[in-house]
Structure formats: structure tokens, C-alpha cells
Amino acid sequence: MGILYLKEHTSCYNYSKHIQEGFLYHKFCEMEIEEEFNDGDCVLFVIEGELELSCNGEQLKLSSGHMICLSRGSVCRMLSREKGCIVIAQFDHAVQSCEKESFSMLYNMAVKHEKRIHPLAVNDRLHLFLRLLIYYLEDGANCVHFHETKLRELFWNIRFYYTKMEQAAFFHPILSNNHDFKKKVLNNYRKARTVKELAWLCECSLSSFKRKFFNEFREPAGEWLQKQTNNMIKHKLADGDIPIGIIAEELHFSSLPQFCRYCKRNFGYTPGEWRKVLKNRNKTSDNAPEKV
């Protein structure tokens, strides 16, 4: 069964071929690799198969029937060793007052964890929601208002059927005390090499930025920014097809020697040596030794 009068729907200005906020359904081929940079916050559901993810320095395996929440600015590499499929819920402005109030309450409950990504099992109610949603998506339901409504339904579902502590852990990557400030930081940090540059991009004085940043992220801005830089370097070096010089340029290093010195100082390896470590780790499935 398909959507009736599809041309009527697709001709409407509220119908979008490229969903910015809403749901995407993707089928994986065997040994398929996907690279993603999240412009908005999202929830990823594994419907079938198993994914190996590397995201913001964290590595995990996500089997079918599980979901994770990722913040804007996240850089992810997904590997599927078998056929499978996922649903991604992307959101930004769709989070309205009710959800913001709920997230604010969850923020006060959340505790700082070493790992920021906390998978949850998809319960039977949410599974039914996703099954019907996939039918809609396969039939071509891409009305903007439809996606907005289904996003609200998703949030209601999670609030109805998961405990507050489960929600606080799951939504941990996107919870904030100052949503607008955190959004500016995550939208701009990849363009900055220093805290001063990031403060300027976020339209704050340096002192005000440092104060707001510590209140929001619970660690000094300099330490956080270096972690993001290190994670980005590792992520890009994992792709053997990207020349090391291009990586240095993309990450705003002034020269290749400076980039090499930075890697040697922070990882204990030059970029070329680190690539060999990653390659050997992928062969043996062992964790690469790391000096920090």
C-alpha cells in the first residue's frame, strides 16, 4: 500500500526531499562504512544488524534493538559488517518548550560520566512506533509537519516508558544548562584552534566565555577543546585515503611539521606512525596503545 495522491503531496511547499529535521531510514550493505558529521542533535536506532561506531573518541558496538543519542558537532564513523538498517531522528528547532523543560530537569539529574554515550534498549512500544514510521518513510511521507509531529511523538514515547534516570543517561550528550550557549559552542568549535578564537566565534568576551563554558561543560574550555582536536585527528587519520597534509590544513595547523610535533607530543606517535597503529588494531581488534 502506498500514499494516495502522492503528486499532490510532493508539490506542496511543506514537502521536503532533504529532511533537515525529522527521520531518515538507511539500509546498510555488508562491510559498508559511513562517515557522519551531525549538524543537529540526533537519536540513532539500529533496526537490524550490528554497527561498530567510533564517535567523539568513544568506540562501541550497537546491536539491533538499541538506540543512542548524539549531540550536534559529533563526528562518527560507522561500520556494518553485515546487512542491516537504521533510523536516524534529527532535531534542532523541533525541540519545543515541553521538551526543553524536560531536558532542563534531566540536566539537574545527570552526573558526569567518563563515557558520554549510553545506549538504551528499544522497548516494545517504541518498537511499534518505529515499525509504522519505517512504512511511512518507505511510502514517501516527507511532509515537514509530519516529521515535526513524529518527533514530538518520539519524545513523548521516551518520556512515557523510560525512567528519569534512563532518560538522563541517554540524553546526556545533549542536556544543557544554557542551551543557546552550548549550541554556539558545538556549532563553532571545529573552526577554532584556540579558546580565544572559539570565544570570538561565540560572540563572548574571553572571561565571560570561560565562565559560561565551565558552568555548562564542567571542565575548562582549553582541556575540552584539546580533547575535541585529538578526537578529530584520530578520526581523520583512521581514513587512510586522506593525505596527512590535507588533515593538517583542515584542522588549521600552520604547517605539516607543526602537526607532526603536535601528534608526537599528544599521542606519542607521528601521524604516519599513528596510522600504522590504527591499521594493526583493525587487523587484530585490539586497542591501540596510546600516550596522553
Side-chain angles (χ1 to χ4, degrees):
M1 179 180 180
I3 295 177
L4 299 177
Y5 315 113
L6 186 59
K7 287 186 178 180
E8 176 184 324
H9 299 297
T10 56
S11 63
C12 175
Y13 70 90
N14 284 317
Y15 186 93
S16 176
K17 293 182 180 179
H18 304 286
I19 293 299
Q20 300 299 316
E21 287 195 89
F23 295 87
L24 298 172
Y25 178 54
H26 179 71
K27 293 182 179 180
F28 280 97
C29 299
E30 187 176 353
M31 296 305 294
E32 180 177 347
I33 296 176
E34 285 284 331
E35 302 278 350
E36 292 286 342
F37 174 75
N38 296 333
D39 292 324
D41 300 323
C42 74
V43 175
L44 184 152
F45 305 88
V46 179
I47 308 300
E48 294 179 9
E50 183 179 75
L51 289 182
E52 297 177 13
L53 289 98
S54 174
C55 187
N56 299 338
E58 292 186 39
Q59 296 184 357
L60 70 155
K61 289 185 178 180
L62 201 63
S63 58
S64 61
H66 288 81
M67 59 183 182
I68 56 173
C69 181
L70 302 172
S71 68
R72 69 179 60 248
S74 297
V75 181
C76 300
R77 187 173 188 266
M78 298 181 284
L79 169 63
S80 177
R81 297 189 181 275
E82 58 184 323
K83 291 183 179 180
C85 55
I86 61 173
V87 169
I88 298 177
Q90 304 175 115
F91 49 93
D92 184 4
H93 302 293
V95 178
Q96 299 299 324
S97 57
C98 190
E99 287 79 24
K100 285 184 178 180
E101 183 177 344
S102 175
F103 285 166
S104 178
M105 181 173 60
L106 294 175
Y107 176 83
N108 295 325
M109 297 175 59
V111 295
K112 186 175 181 180
H113 297 280
E114 182 178 346
K115 291 187 175 295
R116 290 177 55 82
I117 302 175
H118 298 270
L120 274 183
V122 175
N123 64 27
D124 58 344
R125 296 295 190 272
L126 191 51
H127 178 70
L128 291 173
F129 166 85
L130 291 168
R131 282 182 59 189
L132 181 56
L133 176 71
I134 290 171
Y135 284 128
Y136 286 140
L137 297 177
E138 288 185 321
D139 288 341
N142 265 355
C143 171
V144 171
H145 298 312
F146 164 79
H147 283 272
E148 289 176 352
T149 301
K150 299 308 286 184
L151 280 172
R152 292 193 183 98
E153 185 178 349
L154 169 63
F155 290 129
W156 290 332
N157 201 303
I158 294 175
R159 289 171 61 195
F160 289 161
Y161 297 112
Y162 291 87
T163 67
K164 290 287 193 292
M165 292 307 298
E166 287 174 326
Q167 294 176 52
F170 178 73
F171 285 122
H172 184 260
I174 66 172
L175 297 179
S176 62
N177 187 44
N178 186 334
H179 177 76
D180 292 336
F181 176 76
K182 184 173 183 178
K183 183 176 176 179
K184 285 183 178 180
V185 171
L186 296 180
N187 282 340
N188 290 294
Y189 79 89
R190 294 176 75 238
K191 307 170 190 174
R193 283 282 292 121
T194 66
V195 175
K196 186 176 181 179
E197 289 177 7
L198 185 54
W200 182 81
L201 289 169
C202 292
E203 302 174 323
C204 289
S205 68
L206 184 58
S207 59
S208 175
F209 176 82
K210 288 181 176 179
R211 183 178 65 256
K212 289 181 179 180
F213 191 97
F214 190 84
N215 289 337
E216 180 60 45
F217 291 85
R218 301 174 184 174
E219 65 178 313
E223 292 181 13
W224 182 89
L225 189 58
Q226 183 173 0
K227 288 179 185 177
Q228 310 316 307
T229 299
N230 292 350
N231 290 338
M232 184 66 69
I233 290 172
K234 294 176 186 177
H235 176 81
K236 288 184 175 292
L237 287 175
D239 186 342
D241 294 329
I242 306 177
I244 291 174
I246 296 298
I247 296 175
E249 182 179 343
E250 288 180 348
L251 296 179
H252 312 296
F253 285 89
S254 61
S255 65
L256 183 56
Q258 186 202 21
F259 180 55
C260 291
R261 289 194 297 271
Y262 181 93
C263 291
K264 187 73 173 179
R265 183 171 65 252
N266 286 275
F267 308 142
Y269 301 94
T270 65
E273 291 170 342
W274 182 253
R275 268 194 166 153
K276 290 180 181 178
V277 170
L278 292 176
K279 187 175 181 179
N280 291 334
R281 183 184 67 184
N282 290 335
K283 286 182 179 179
T284 61
S285 297
D286 292 331
N287 288 329
E290 180 179 343
K291 299 177 184 179
V292 294

